[in-house]
Every structure is written in structure tokens, then in C-alpha cells.
Amino acid sequence: MTTRSYRRQDCPIAYALSVVGDQWTLLLIRDLLSGVHRFEALQKKLGLSRNLLARRLKQLASQGLVTRDPLPGTKRFAYRPTPKCEALWPTVLALAEWGQAWRGNVEGTRVEITESDSGKAVGVRYCRLEDGREVAPDRIVVERIRP
Amino acid sequence: MTTRSYRRQDCPIAYALSVVGDQWTLLLIRDLLSGVHRFEALQKKLGLSRNLLARRLKQLASQGLVTRDPLPGTKRFAYRPTPKCEALWPTVLALAEWGQAWRGNVEGTRVEITESDSGKAVGVRYCRLEDGREVAPDRIVVERIRP
DNA sequence: GCCATCAGTTCACTAAATGAACCTGTCGGC
DNA sequence: GCCGACAGGTTCATTTAGTGAACTGATGGC
């Protein structure tokens, strides 16, 4: 990736954006996470230039977000998300919730999150780590701690 | 903003990224949300060109994420986040958590989320909407519902 | 053997970001 | 009432990044 000036910022958000913060990467990750693993399929689904897709995949591989696995018996490949990539699910879903809530009354495709066994609706929220209870947005405090 | 091809995708994530998905916007929002409201201060803190900052602020204003309020008695302005912008807190904090967890053992600045009255640690997690109980990541199912 | 598909690469072109200089208005000092 | 500093921009030349089309080369099905 490029050496943007914000990479030098000492901030986990800046770090995260230096890895996944360009125009296509989070959309690419959305598709990798939802089971699209092949070059052609990704290119067709996203509509970005093959050129750039190849570059992005290399970058993601070099950052440890995807692996490039040869499909057995062929010369073809599957790009599979690693745990580092899967850990972006909450980010992607937080974006999806925001998009749904604020895109106006466009009746488009929705993203629904449910609990696997009960089928009950789930959202990306704040939780106390201690006991897993939800905390309302107006009761949270965000601090930056410098080492 | 530009008319990138992914804007035409019918997906709330693509919509969200069409608004906040470029290189600087989420970093800009991080600072707006943490109380930096002035043009000069934002430019110095972020280090992006004044040029581009002016453009991004206009775009964010036109999308309803910030207001440009004249400061009383002066010809100066404060850029303040609207509720639409504040609704991006979970996205920003999910990115921060990911950045912290995966940037390797760099001992840099951390972002800590706590509950205001108890001071207990809080994280961005999945919660059942019904009763606000945390749901483990391996028990969630994500579906796209087409209208 | 032939055409289609997959996984790229190369290249010319366009769009966007960068960095520096410039402009205007205000305030404070003197 | 002149000077410098600062806030909040705009303009412009240069650099960098993204786009789209064409090309390569290996497989695979029939």
C-alpha cells in the first residue's frame, strides 16, 4: 500500500485504516467474508478493475488478511479470509447498520444479523466485558491512553 | 463526492462506504467526534492538505454529517457532528478495537471504552436486541434480505 | 483441435490527492 | 492607521492512484 501520512499517526484507528481504509478494501472484505473466494467472482461482483483487484489481494495477503490457496488439481486459487480478516465482521456490520439506518427511505437490500440457534435479531452494540450486558450509547466514555 | 461504480450497488455497506469510505473521512470523523471542530485544528491534527479538508467538510455537510456553525461574534466556524455522524461511533470503535488487537505488539496509544458511571470496560460486541445479552461471534448468522 | 473460462499483466488515460503559494478578513498591539 | 499573526479558505502545478481495454497463458470441456 502507499505510505500515506496518516500511517505515521500513533492511533489504532489510523492503523486500521492504513490496512483497510481505501475505497475498495472493506467492500472486498465483505465479499471475502460472505464466501466469495475466486478472483473472477470478486471482480464481477465488485466491478473494480482487475488490475486493482490483483493489487489489493496482494496487499491483503502481505498483511495477513487473506491466504491464496491453490485449488487441488488445478492452477486456480481461492482467496480465503484469515482470522485477522474475520475479526473485521463487527466493523463491517456496524457499517451495514449505519447504512441501513441513515440511507433514507430507500427500500433496498438489508443485512440481517441473527443468533444461530434462536433466530433472534442481533445488533452491533456496546457491551460490558465483565458480564456481557448492553450499555446504552449515552453512557459510554471513550479515552485515548498514551503509553 | 465522486460517482464510484460501487455506489450503484444495492447494499447498505456500499452506501455507507460511499459516504465515509475514502481515505480520510473516517479519520476526520474520529476527530470531529472527539471534539475537534475547527478547520485549522483538523488540518494540523490530520496532516491532510487544506484543499482536500475543505472539500471533505463540504461533502460531509452536504450529506448531513456535519454542520458549519458560525462562532458568535466572529467570522469563524465550528464544524459539528450531527446525530448521523455520531451514529458512526460504533464503526469507529470497532475499527479501533481491531487495530489494537491486530497491529502486532506495538505499544502505542490505546483507545479505551468504559461505562460512564461504573467505569467498567466496554467493547463493541453482538447483542440480542430483545434482552441486550451478548452473543458470541461464532453464533451469529448474517443474511442479505432482498426486498 | 477448438473455444470458453480463470487468473492475472500491461498500458494508455483519467481522476484524485499532495503541497505550496496566495487571498481575504479579523484581531491585537502600538 | 500600520504591522504582523492567525483563521479559513482557494488556486494551481505536480504526483499518485484508479479505470478500462487489450493481451497472455494455462486449463478444461467436448
Side-chain angles (χ1 to χ4, degrees):
Chain A
M1 297 221 185
T2 59
T3 305
R4 302 232 161 228
S5 45
Y6 65 71
R7 309 195 143 226
R8 282 166 227 135
Q9 288 186 24
D10 169 28
C11 168
I13 302 167
Y15 165 75
L17 290 172
S18 75
V19 179
V20 300
D22 72 282
Q23 313 269 347
W24 287 105
T25 301
L26 278 170
L27 229 45
L28 177 51
I29 284 171
R30 172 199 67 180
D31 284 348
L32 287 166
L33 289 177
S34 48
V36 185
H37 297 316
R38 304 287 293 279
F39 186 94
E40 291 292 311
L42 289 165
Q43 195 273 323
K44 283 199 185 87
K45 196 140 194 300
L46 290 166
L48 87 175
S49 66
R50 317 170 61 72
N51 195 346
L52 186 55
L53 175 59
R55 216 182 326 167
R56 286 288 170 274
L57 286 170
K58 270 182 201 157
Q59 289 164 345
L60 289 178
S62 79
Q63 304 259 17
L65 299 229
V66 300
T67 55
R68 183 170 175 271
D69 308 327
L71 289 169
T74 67
K75 271 256 168 184
R76 283 152 192 188
F77 301 95
Y79 292 92
R80 289 186 209 286
T82 65
K84 186 171 181 179
C85 192
E86 272 158 12
L88 282 164
W89 264 122
T91 301
V92 170
L93 293 175
L95 273 173
E97 285 196 19
W98 184 85
Q100 249 148 228
W102 293 94
R103 91 182 130 174
N105 49 7
V106 184
E107 270 309 312
T109 297
R110 298 184 62 78
V111 172
E112 281 191 8
I113 323 173
T114 48
E115 192 179 15
S116 56
D117 48 359
S118 71
K120 284 176 177 163
V122 168
V124 178
R125 297 293 130 91
Y126 304 107
C127 272
R128 238 178 281 149
L129 300 184
E130 190 181 83
D131 60 359
R133 298 303 308 233
E134 185 175 350
V135 178
D138 61 333
R139 297 182 64 205
I140 69 155
V141 177
V142 178
E143 279 174 296
R144 304 191 186 206
I145 318 288
R146 279 167 241 295
Chain B
M1 302 218 181
T2 61
T3 304
R4 301 233 161 228
S5 42
Y6 64 72
R7 309 195 141 226
R8 283 166 225 135
Q9 287 186 26
D10 168 29
C11 169
I13 303 166
Y15 166 75
L17 290 172
S18 75
V19 179
V20 299
D22 73 284
Q23 314 269 347
W24 287 106
T25 302
L26 278 169
L27 230 44
L28 177 52
I29 284 170
R30 173 199 67 180
D31 285 347
L32 289 165
L33 289 177
S34 47
V36 185
H37 297 317
R38 304 286 294 276
F39 187 94
E40 292 291 313
L42 289 165
Q43 196 272 322
K44 283 198 184 87
K45 194 139 196 297
L46 290 166
L48 86 175
S49 65
R50 315 170 62 71
N51 191 345
L52 186 55
L53 176 59
R55 213 178 330 161
R56 286 286 170 276
L57 287 170
K58 268 181 202 159
Q59 289 164 347
L60 289 178
S62 79
Q63 304 258 15
L65 301 229
V66 300
T67 55
R68 184 171 176 271
D69 307 327
L71 289 170
T74 67
K75 271 258 167 186
R76 286 155 192 186
F77 301 94
Y79 292 92
R80 291 187 209 286
T82 64
K84 185 171 180 179
C85 192
E86 273 158 11
L88 282 164
W89 263 123
T91 300
V92 171
L93 293 175
L95 273 173
E97 287 197 17
W98 185 86
Q100 248 147 229
W102 294 94
R103 88 180 134 176
N105 49 8
V106 185
E107 270 311 310
T109 297
R110 298 184 61 78
V111 173
E112 280 190 10
I113 323 172
T114 48
E115 192 181 14
S116 57
D117 47 359
S118 71
K120 286 179 177 161
V122 168
V124 177
R125 297 292 131 90
Y126 304 108
C127 274
R128 236 177 284 147
L129 300 186
E130 189 182 83
D131 59 0
R133 297 305 306 238
E134 186 176 351
V135 178
D138 60 334
R139 295 180 68 205
I140 69 153
V141 177
V142 178
E143 279 174 296
R144 305 192 186 204
I145 317 289
R146 276 167 243 296

